Amino acid sequence: MPNGKAAGTRCIQLGDDNRCRIFGKPERPAFCAGLQPSDEMCGTSREHAMQWLDALERATAPTPDASIRP
């Protein structure tokens, strides 16, 4: 995704098994490479980890500029 990934959009590099197709490759974005798993993020289940990642994505989504009106 040359211009990055919008919040709420599935990464095009995720396979059907939700694994990164470019993990460990030089073309993997720096953000992805810098995201390191932790107990807080992973919890004890895949469901917990997915909820944590969803919350992170929502928290970092750009907010629409209220001063711009259509």
Side-chain angles (χ1 to χ4, degrees):
M1 303 181 96
N3 297 317
K5 183 189 81 57
T9 303
R10 182 176 168 84
C11 178
I12 61 172
Q13 299 300 343
L14 286 178
D16 291 338
D17 60 358
N18 287 322
R19 292 179 183 254
C20 178
R21 292 182 183 124
I22 58 173
F23 185 84
K25 296 183 178 178
E27 61 268 28
R28 187 172 182 222
F31 173 82
C32 296
L35 185 62
Q36 297 297 310
S38 66
D39 289 340
E40 177 186 13
M41 178 174 70
C42 297
T44 58
S45 68
R46 180 183 184 283
E47 181 180 337
H48 175 94
M50 295 306 290
Q51 289 174 349
W52 191 93
L53 289 170
D54 181 59
L56 175 64
E57 188 160 278
R58 282 184 280 114
T60 59
T63 55
D65 187 340
S67 65
I68 299 174
R69 303 280 180 215

